[in-house]
């Protein structure tokens, strides 16, 4: 599942190439990926230009402009488990599970491919592009972006009794961390994933806050982690998987202390950790 760094990489890849392009045709092959009326959707997009490509947590947003640069609404993509957004030259074969194609003047196409269909497409009416709370059917609310979470708010969040890993994975209070970067940040901060958030002392809270930011920033610089289906918008692979210290490294030595990495279940997910660097639990 793409996490914040992968989504940020996709957004950066799309922004430079999509901005200013005009939508000429909309091909919706499966209307159930769209949350809203297909007729309204297709009519709203045609002849509009892409004004801005941006990210809200793990959502990719394309804000469109009409004549006179008037806000013409915002397309929202959520990639779910297996979704991909590909920017291709028109006329290229359409791969299976391509649910939506936006054809731009000049022939470039933006294709939404999602075999498992946990992702989706939404359309926010003009003037609602910044909306984080009203997002239409089935698009969950998202909290503060993990890259922009101030220490004070993070400290407040960690007063809860919940298990730290489950709390970090919950997208409502803080959005963007998934299984990979959660495990990587907890290892860098020396915190066991099963500890209760409220048992972390102030030093641990600071370390974790800094580790989350460092891991996400390094992963963005590396173009994300390519595991499973993830590809950037141009089809290229990320490189951060080569720098994972614990995630997916069961039985291999911890880069810090050489103890073998173990895998446990936490928050219903596989969690990788070093029991020496991350005591307790
Ligand atoms: Zn270790």
């Amino acid at each position: 599942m793409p996490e914040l760094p992968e989504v940020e990489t996709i957004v950066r890849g799309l922004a430079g190439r999509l901005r200013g392009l005009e939508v000429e045709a909309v091909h919706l092959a499966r209307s159930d990926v769209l949350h809203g009326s297909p007729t309204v959707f297709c009519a709203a997009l045609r002849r509009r230009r892409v004004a801005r490509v941006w990210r809200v947590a793990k959502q990719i947003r394309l804000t469109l402009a009409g004549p006179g640069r008037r806000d013409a609404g915002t397309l929202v993509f959520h990639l779910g488990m297996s979704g991909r957004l590909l920017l291709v030259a028109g006329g290229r074969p359409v791969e299976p599970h391509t649910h939506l194609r936006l054809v731009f003047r000049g022939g470039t196409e933006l294709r939404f491919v999602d075999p498992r269909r946990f992702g989706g497409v939404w359309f926010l009416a003009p003037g609602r592009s910044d909306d984080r709370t009203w997002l239409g059917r089935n698009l969950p609310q998202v909290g503060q972006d993990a890259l922009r979470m101030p220490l004070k708010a993070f400290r407040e969040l960690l007063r809860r009794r919940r298990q730290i890993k489950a709390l970090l994975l919950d997208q409502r209070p803080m959005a963007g961390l998934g299984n990979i970067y959660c495990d990587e940040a907890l290892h860098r901060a020396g915190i066991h994933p099963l500890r209760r958030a409220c048992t972390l002392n102030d030093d641990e809270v600071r370390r974790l806050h800094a580790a989350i930011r460092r891991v996400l920033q390094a992963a963005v610089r590396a173009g994300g982690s390519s595991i499973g289906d993830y590809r950037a918008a141009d089809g290229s692979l990320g490189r951060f998987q080569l720098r994972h210290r614990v995630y997916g490294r069961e039985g291999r030595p911890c880069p810090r202390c050489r103890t073998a990495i173990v895998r446990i279940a936490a928050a219903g997910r596989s969690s990788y950790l070093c029991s020496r660097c991350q005591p307790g639990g």
Side-chain angles (χ1 to χ4, degrees):
M1 178 191 285
E3 300 182 28
L4 187 151
E6 289 77 38
V7 174
E8 177 68 23
T9 302
I10 293 167
V11 165
R12 290 180 182 190
L14 291 176
R17 295 171 64 193
L18 279 183
R19 218 178 287 129
L21 293 187
E22 182 182 319
V23 180
E24 196 167 58
V26 183
H27 299 284
L28 184 65
R30 277 200 80 113
S31 58
D32 61 349
V33 298
L34 175 70
H35 299 271
S37 153
T39 321
V40 172
F41 177 77
C42 294
L45 263 55
R46 246 178 251 126
R47 304 269 170 255
R48 303 297 184 224
R49 285 181 189 279
V50 179
R52 185 180 173 209
V53 183
W54 50 301
R55 177 179 70 76
V56 170
K58 293 196 275 185
Q59 302 162 10
I60 297 164
R61 295 190 172 196
L62 265 64
T63 295
L64 304 168
R69 300 191 179 172
R70 206 165 24 83
D71 179 356
T74 296
L75 256 174
V76 182
F77 292 95
H78 197 287
L79 302 178
M81 298 294 288
S82 59
R84 281 184 288 152
L85 273 177
L86 302 175
L87 200 55
V88 296
R92 288 269 296 276
V94 178
E95 66 176 279
H97 310 293
T98 299
H99 307 313
L100 173 67
R101 287 162 52 219
L102 296 185
V103 182
F104 297 100
R105 188 177 289 276
T108 302
E109 290 190 14
L110 181 68
R111 296 176 178 176
F112 177 59
V113 184
D114 186 8
R116 296 177 66 184
R117 281 190 285 123
F118 285 106
V121 185
W122 288 257
F123 185 74
L124 303 180
R128 311 202 71 150
S129 67
D130 279 321
D131 224 322
R132 295 171 74 90
T133 50
W134 183 86
L135 291 166
R137 206 154 47 91
N138 297 336
L139 186 58
Q141 282 187 31
V142 288
Q144 176 80 39
D145 196 279
L147 261 177
R148 300 185 193 110
M149 185 86 163
L151 177 61
K152 192 165 170 241
F154 187 69
R155 193 181 281 131
E156 202 57 44
L157 170 65
L158 265 54
R159 294 234 160 89
R160 303 184 194 189
R161 275 179 54 78
R162 259 179 108 182
Q163 179 198 93
I164 186 68
K165 173 131 186 192
L167 185 59
L168 296 180
L169 287 177
D170 185 344
Q171 301 298 302
R172 288 167 297 181
M174 181 176 79
L177 277 187
N179 212 24
I180 297 175
Y181 299 107
C182 201
D183 283 5
E184 293 295 316
L186 286 169
H187 176 264
R188 281 161 176 80
I191 293 162
H192 196 288
L194 293 181
R195 284 183 59 186
R196 286 186 187 277
C198 61
T199 68
L200 270 63
N201 64 34
D202 195 55
D203 187 43
E204 289 172 320
V205 172
R206 281 172 189 277
R207 282 207 315 259
L208 183 57
H209 180 259
I212 289 170
R213 196 166 293 220
R214 270 206 312 276
V215 164
L216 291 175
Q217 284 169 342
V220 168
R221 282 196 299 273
S225 298
S226 278
I227 286 181
D229 296 304
Y230 169 68
R231 301 283 183 281
D234 61 0
S236 64
L237 296 167
R239 300 178 309 281
F240 195 72
Q241 68 280 9
L242 305 173
R243 293 172 53 191
H244 290 175
R245 295 188 186 175
V246 286
Y247 186 83
R249 299 187 72 245
E250 188 181 11
R252 296 173 61 193
C254 165
R256 193 184 289 153
C257 74
R258 315 309 291 169
T259 303
I261 303 295
V262 293
R263 179 167 59 122
I264 64 165
R269 312 284 296 272
S270 279
S271 294
Y272 299 88
L273 67 116
C274 167
S275 54
R276 189 160 170 204
C277 294
Q278 297 165 264

